[in-house]
Each structure stands twice: as structure tokens, then as C-alpha cells.
Amino acid sequence: MTARKTFLAALADTGVPLDTAFVELLTATAETSAKAVLDGYAADLVELRDGGEARAATRALRTLVSVYVHEGSAYHHSAALLGPAAELADALAEEQYANGLWEHGADGNPADTAFSIVDLNLIHHLLEEDAHEATTGLRATIERILRLAGPSLATGGVHTANHRWLVCAALARLHARWPDRAYPERIESWLAEGIDQLPGGEYSERSPNYSAAVTNPALLVLARHYGRTDLYANVRDNLAANLYVIEPNGEVETVHSRRQDQTRVHHLPEFWLQYREMALRDGDGRFAAVAALLQERGTDQIFGETPIGERLAQVLDRPELAAPLPEVTSLPDDFEHHDDSCRLVRVRRGTHTASVFGGTDFPELHAISSGLSTNPTFFKMRKGAAILDSLRLAPRFFALGHFRAEGLERTDDGWRLHAEVRGAFHHPLPPEHRRPDGAYPLTDDSRFWSAMDFPHRPKEYRTLRTEVLVREVGGGAWDISFDLSGEGCASPLALELCFRPGGTLTGDGLEPVPGSPGTFQLVSGEATYTVGTDHITFGPGNGKGGRQPAVVDPGERYAWLSGSLTTDGVRVLITGRSPLTYRLTLR
């Protein structure tokens, strides 16, 4: 059998020009990735067979197939790939449960299986279009895997919001290849819940990681393969919102996330092909500028879940993405942007940026859990390479933990964050609620539980009110004023500044904090954190002493399990005692 003329060559036959530099970059990096797979896929097989995890093996197979079918690759139709590809596919088939699922930490996990089915749908399409006789057996194996998985995806459940759209994407391509009435019925059931997009463009999880790696790709599949072209609008709105959380060095702000990336660094390249696709579809010069920037940076940038070498398969699956980008326009680099649905303010002045955040879920829910926004960082700033990753306030008030704002409001010259917390002393139960046997219900005091029937006890409260005013003063400088007051609020507190490692900290008023490597207390004057030619100067210090110890109290919810919220980096504490009025300057 003679292989068809496929992919980019077929696109060229339609008269559509190719972005040759883009294709060459993807091809070269995919070849490098394929070499790495050939050298190391045994580890992916171990992860699959011993751990029940299919995703690494599926991605390894996707990389091999991409260079195998691509006419421009040095591995095109290379027999050296057939054995490893067959071994990966056979292992995936062998480890698949009778219901079509892989283990993934449970006795068959529909949601995590869907990740691999999305990839296998793409792989099968590439192989079918290539139609090379040598892959007949490989195609048959992958087809069996896909057909077996379909019914369970059409009936199985999910864990998280983004999983709904992932399962829909997997079913949409299965239905397009092997129609089954159950597939669109399930897709419609999920889609009938409505796309969980907030007014500002973020999805309900507010996670750049899951927007880039799951939700946007899934919605684009549904738009292309299921006819839901209205979903392009959701992706467009998310990418537009994302323009305001991009850092000059290619990182993306995550402080507002409700997922695990709220305390991690996320990188823009995970959005690459989404920006490219929507730029080509809409002729949007801003989106084209992001795609062009990422292409220009090439391998000299940090990638996330999908390394650049794995992008070739996606472009071969949609060759129209290899068309030249529309004319780029300038990206926003001088703005003050308020996303009220996340209570996040982003300010950028060239290479100087800042984030003001008052949108944790804690004030409303009084809980710390996976899926909630609980990061107590309320301010971040950058001046070039000098990065303040986190500014937090931790009063030692009834062990209630960090300040987490109950609101973010615009003022005449800045932004106001505020919160009020109360701690109670409990009095004896009224006679009607007393029990001679002492068997009272286990109830919550808001910081701990005890069999004391707290709801029915008279209480004597102490209150701590915190107001933070954040004001931009020009030239990358900020003034942040703190006012802590209330009834019976006297307690130590620590303002914690955490700088990105790699710089030098100087200041006559700095003192090392005993027992805490990399942590200092600013007792007096100002200090400066310098990286290359960039620096952030901050202060003043606020003294020291036994009544204002250099301690960050994470709160009883963390401390009772010996947990902490200690940030990674160079930490500086400015301590005090409430009631307190204090102004921090950063310039």
C-alpha cells in the first residue's frame, strides 16, 4: 500500500502557505523528544504496569507517532519506531480494565482515563490518515482500546469541573469515528450544566494550569468535532483575560487559583497553540503576538505540562495551525486591570508589574481544602528580575491564622482590603442545654472542635479588624498602609515578604532569624533585594522584642498537624503588635 500524501503537504496543495519556521521548530524539537522516548520509555511502561497510570505511556506513543507520520521528519516511516510504538500500545491494551478504563488510583478512573483517550483519538487519526501498511496492527490495537473505553466514559463520573469538558472531548471524537447514540447523550448532559466561566473570563477553578491544559483544549475539540462553535467564545474570553496576568518573563499569575497551582509558578507556553488557533480564526493581533512571542523564544523558555516537542502531534492533527499568523499588534503592557469575579487587580508598567488579591474563599467558607482559594498572599510585585513573590500578614490572634481579605474595593487613589475576625471565650451553658451525662455534641469553635456544644454557649468576643490600603506611587513603587484595631485585639503580628531566590539582600537593619535559614527580620531602616541591575527597596523596620517575636503563625488549622505556610525564597519579617498603624514602602 502506498501512503497517502498527508498533513502539511496536503494543506500546501490547497494553496494555504505554511509558516515554515514554525513547522521546522516543532519538527526539530519533536525529533529530540522522540529520541528521548526511545531511550526512556521503559520508565513509562513501569508507571503504567506498576502504578496503573496510562498518561505517560500514551504521550510517549503520541510523540513517536507524530514523527513517524510527518513527511518532514527524519523519523518518517522509520522502522526503528514500530517496535517501541507497538510495545507501548500493547501495554496500554493489556493494562486496560475490562470496562475500558485504566486504574489511575482507583478501580478504574473515567476522568483520568479520558486524558489518555483524548491523546489516543489524536494518535489514531494521524495513523489512519497516514495509512502506512506497517502500522496496520498498531492501528487495530489503538482502535480496540478506544472502542472499549467509550461506554465507560459515557456512563462514568468525574472529580472536578474541568473533567466534564475533557470527557466530552473524548466522546466527541469517538462518536465522530464510531457513532453511538450514548455518546452525544452524555455530552449533552454535561454541556447542559453550562460552561463554568466567570464574568472576567476565568473558569470557576480560576486555574491557569487547568484552563491551558484541559478546559480550553477540550472546548476547542467540541467546537471542531461536535459542532459547538459557540464554545470558541469561551476560549476567546479566557485567552483575553489571560493577557492581563502574563508576566514579562513568560510566567502567569496564579495567586487567584482554586487549585494546587495557587502556590506554584505556571508558564505561558501551555497556552501556545490555543493563542495560535484563535489568532488564525479571529485575525486577533493580540493573540498572534503571544503566539509569535512564544515561537520566537523557542526552546529558551520554561514549558509546563506539554513540552515543545509534543506540540507537533497537535499541529499534524490540525494542519491549519501551520498557516502564517495574522499581523501582530501590541500586547497590553501599561494597564490597571480589575477582575472583580476573582477579586484580583493586575497592574503593569512595562517590566514592572504588581498583583493585589483579595479573593480567597476562606472568609465565606471558613475552610482550607483542595479546590478552595486559600493562598494568604495579598500583594506581589516585580521590577524586572527582582521579584517579590509574596506579601502576607500573620497576626497571632486566637491562632486564627493569616489575614485573608473579605473584600477588595477601589478607593480614590488605590485599593482597599479588609477583614474582621473574632475569637470567643465561652461561658457555661444555659440550664436548658445542660446534660447530666456530659455527652455534648462535637462542635466547631471556628478554629478547633470540642464536645462542648459551642452554638448554645454564651460568648465573650475579642475582635481584630484589619484594613490594608494599597497605593501605586509611580516608577514601580508602592505604599501599603496597615491599620489593625479592635476590642481586645492585642497580639503579636508578622508581615512576611518573600523574594524569589537568586538575588542579594542588604540592609543595616537586617538580622537573621535564629533557627530559620534564609529568614531575616528587618528591625530598622530599609533593606534592598537586588537581582542584577534590578532591585526592590522596602521598609521601614519596626523594632523587635519578646512581645513581637519573629514568628509567622499559620493558624491552628495548619499547626495542629505540624503544617505550615512557609514560602520558598528569601524571607524578611517585619514584626509588630496590634493595635497598630504602619506603612510599608516598596520602590
Side-chain angles (χ1 to χ4, degrees):
M1 178 183 293
T2 302
R4 304 174 190 171
K5 191 173 187 180
T6 56
F7 312 119
L8 305 180
L11 180 65
D13 286 346
T14 68
V16 176
L18 295 180
D19 184 337
T20 305
F22 175 65
V23 175
E24 289 177 349
L25 173 62
L26 294 186
T27 302
T29 54
E31 289 171 350
T32 300
S33 293
K35 175 63 166 60
V37 168
L38 292 174
D39 292 340
Y41 74 94
D44 300 328
L45 293 175
V46 170
E47 184 175 328
L48 172 63
R49 289 173 172 146
D50 292 354
E53 302 283 339
R55 293 178 68 182
T58 306
R59 289 203 160 191
L61 179 58
R62 186 179 71 174
T63 297
L64 294 182
V65 168
S66 70
V67 295
Y68 184 87
V69 303
H70 177 37
E71 308 94 312
S73 169
Y75 285 103
H76 184 226
H77 290 174
S78 169
L81 303 187
L82 294 175
E87 190 175 353
L88 287 162
D90 289 345
L92 287 164
E94 291 163 5
E95 296 301 322
Q96 194 178 21
Y97 284 14
N99 63 1
L101 304 177
W102 287 285
E103 181 177 330
H104 286 291
D107 190 15
N109 186 323
D112 284 335
T113 292
F115 282 98
S116 293
I117 296 303
V118 165
D119 283 336
L120 288 168
N121 274 324
L122 186 157
I123 293 167
H124 187 266
H125 172 247
L126 296 185
L127 291 170
E128 283 289 293
E129 287 297 303
D130 183 55
H132 196 233
E133 186 173 10
T135 63
T136 301
L138 178 61
R139 281 178 272 151
T141 300
I142 295 172
E143 179 176 338
R144 288 197 304 273
I145 294 171
L146 291 169
R147 285 179 175 269
L148 185 59
S152 287
L153 295 185
T155 56
V158 302
H159 298 303
T160 65
N162 67 77
H163 283 166
R164 296 172 295 175
W165 322 132
L166 175 72
V167 168
C168 288
L171 290 172
R173 293 197 72 161
L174 288 175
H175 182 64
R177 190 72 179 89
W178 302 289
D180 185 318
R181 186 172 64 181
Y183 298 166
E185 287 179 355
R186 191 62 161 184
I187 293 171
E188 292 301 329
S189 293
W190 286 125
L191 289 177
E193 296 185 3
I195 304 302
D196 56 321
Q197 191 161 40
L198 302 175
E202 296 281 5
Y203 300 107
S204 64
E205 294 173 302
R206 305 188 332 200
S207 165
N209 177 59
Y210 289 102
S211 295
V214 186
T215 300
N216 283 343
L219 297 183
L220 290 172
V221 168
L222 289 167
R224 288 191 307 271
H225 296 284
Y226 193 66
R228 284 294 302 269
T229 55
D230 58 302
L231 298 178
Y232 283 121
N234 297 98
V235 177
R236 180 182 301 113
D237 289 348
N238 181 257
L239 296 179
N242 201 51
L243 295 175
Y244 296 98
V245 295
I246 298 172
E247 298 290 1
N249 67 347
E251 295 174 9
V252 178
E253 181 60 270
T254 62
V255 69
H256 56 300
S257 174
R258 287 189 165 118
R259 299 300 303 275
Q260 59 267 41
D261 55 337
Q262 64 185 265
T263 56
R264 301 177 185 173
V265 176
H266 189 76
H267 299 277
L268 183 61
E270 196 66 38
F271 288 94
W272 187 355
L273 293 189
Q274 297 156 42
Y275 274 111
R276 189 176 186 97
E277 180 166 350
M278 294 306 294
L280 290 165
R281 179 176 179 81
D282 295 348
D284 192 315
R286 302 169 305 162
F287 293 175
V290 176
L293 176 64
L294 295 176
Q295 181 173 332
E296 178 184 344
R297 290 177 174 175
T299 57
D300 294 329
Q301 58 188 321
I302 299 175
F303 289 83
E305 186 172 331
T306 309
I308 188 172
E310 296 185 15
R311 298 291 185 187
L312 178 63
Q314 297 169 276
V315 173
L316 295 177
D317 184 50
R318 313 193 294 281
E320 64 274 13
L321 296 184
L325 288 167
E327 184 177 354
V328 304
T329 57
S330 298
L331 290 173
D333 64 358
D334 188 355
F335 58 80
E336 181 182 275
H337 177 74
H338 180 201
D339 183 350
D340 186 52
S341 57
C342 295
R343 295 186 195 164
L344 175 69
V345 172
R346 286 279 299 166
V347 178
R348 180 166 178 176
R349 311 297 180 201
T351 61
H352 297 173
T353 68
S355 301
V356 185
F357 178 56
T360 73
D361 294 314
F362 185 83
E364 289 81 14
L365 301 175
H366 296 290
I368 295 169
S369 182
S370 176
L372 296 180
S373 170
T374 58
N375 187 343
T377 296
F378 61 86
F379 181 80
K380 306 169 75 171
M381 69 174 289
R382 300 176 181 224
K383 292 179 65 179
I387 300 174
L388 174 64
D389 268 328
S390 174
L391 177 61
R392 299 174 175 180
L393 174 63
R396 300 181 71 182
F397 181 76
F398 280 77
L400 292 174
H402 286 78
F403 163 73
R404 291 178 173 89
E406 296 171 4
L408 173 64
E409 303 169 358
R410 191 73 169 92
T411 66
D412 290 340
D413 60 353
W415 298 90
R416 174 178 178 262
L417 302 162
H418 60 89
E420 178 177 303
V421 294
R422 298 194 304 172
F425 293 106
H426 301 278
H427 292 275
L429 284 167
E432 65 269 25
H433 293 293
R434 296 171 187 166
R435 295 179 54 108
D437 61 3
Y440 299 105
L442 189 66
T443 52
D444 181 19
D445 168 63
S446 81
R447 66 185 178 96
F448 69 97
W449 289 74
S450 185
M452 287 185 62
D453 192 8
F454 288 125
H456 291 117
R457 291 182 180 276
K459 297 171 178 59
E460 175 188 345
Y461 287 106
R462 302 291 187 267
T463 303
L464 175 64
R465 286 182 285 272
T466 304
E467 182 175 84
V468 180
L469 299 177
V470 181
R471 185 167 64 95
E472 183 184 13
V473 293
W478 292 84
D479 278 353
I480 305 180
S481 298
F482 298 84
D483 187 356
L484 290 88
S485 62
E487 297 77 39
C489 72
S491 59
L493 61 89
L495 190 62
E496 178 192 56
L497 300 90
C498 184
F499 296 91
R500 183 76 60 90
T504 302
L505 184 65
T506 56
D508 293 339
L510 288 168
E511 297 182 3
V513 174
S516 298
T519 302
F520 302 84
Q521 183 177 12
L522 182 59
V523 176
S524 62
E526 292 185 324
T528 299
Y529 191 70
T530 303
V531 181
T533 59
D534 299 316
H535 68 273
I536 298 173
T537 297
F538 59 96
N542 193 53
K544 62 178 181 177
R547 294 179 64 80
Q548 55 178 81
V551 174
V552 175
D553 181 6
E556 194 157 350
R557 287 176 177 83
Y558 285 88
W560 79 279
L561 277 176
S562 300
S564 76
L565 284 170
T566 303
T567 49
D568 293 329
V570 180
R571 301 166 67 231
V572 179
L573 307 183
I574 299 174
T575 64
R577 189 173 181 84
S578 62
L580 174 73
T581 299
Y582 169 78
R583 187 178 74 174
L584 173 70
T585 63
L586 301 120
R587 66 179 192 279

